[in-house]
Amino acid sequence: MKHKPTASAPIFLDTLYSDIDSLTCFAGVHRIVLGYHRLLSKRFPFAVYYRVV
């Protein structure tokens, strides 16, 4: 059986990019985990770890 691409990939990337873009306003307000700020994705069970320099 071949794997059929789904429409969830563009939705996932759009959501993740939107979360990352929100850092322009909200960088530094997230909880620090393992030395990095952790932004939890709004729609998917993923996180973005970042540092403010």
Side-chain angles (χ1 to χ4, degrees):
M1 180 186 300
K2 277 187 154 182
H3 174 71
K4 295 181 181 179
T6 63
S8 62
I11 294 170
F12 170 74
L13 290 176
D14 287 344
T15 302
L16 195 59
Y17 290 146
S18 173
D19 291 336
I20 292 171
D21 286 342
S22 74
L23 290 175
T24 58
C25 296
F26 300 110
V29 301
H30 301 95
R31 179 178 298 206
I32 296 177
V33 178
L34 301 173
Y36 294 90
H37 291 275
R38 181 182 68 185
L39 163 66
L40 296 175
S41 180
K42 292 177 179 63
R43 188 165 180 182
F44 294 95
F46 289 93
V48 176
Y49 290 84
Y50 67 95
R51 283 191 178 158
V52 178
V53 290

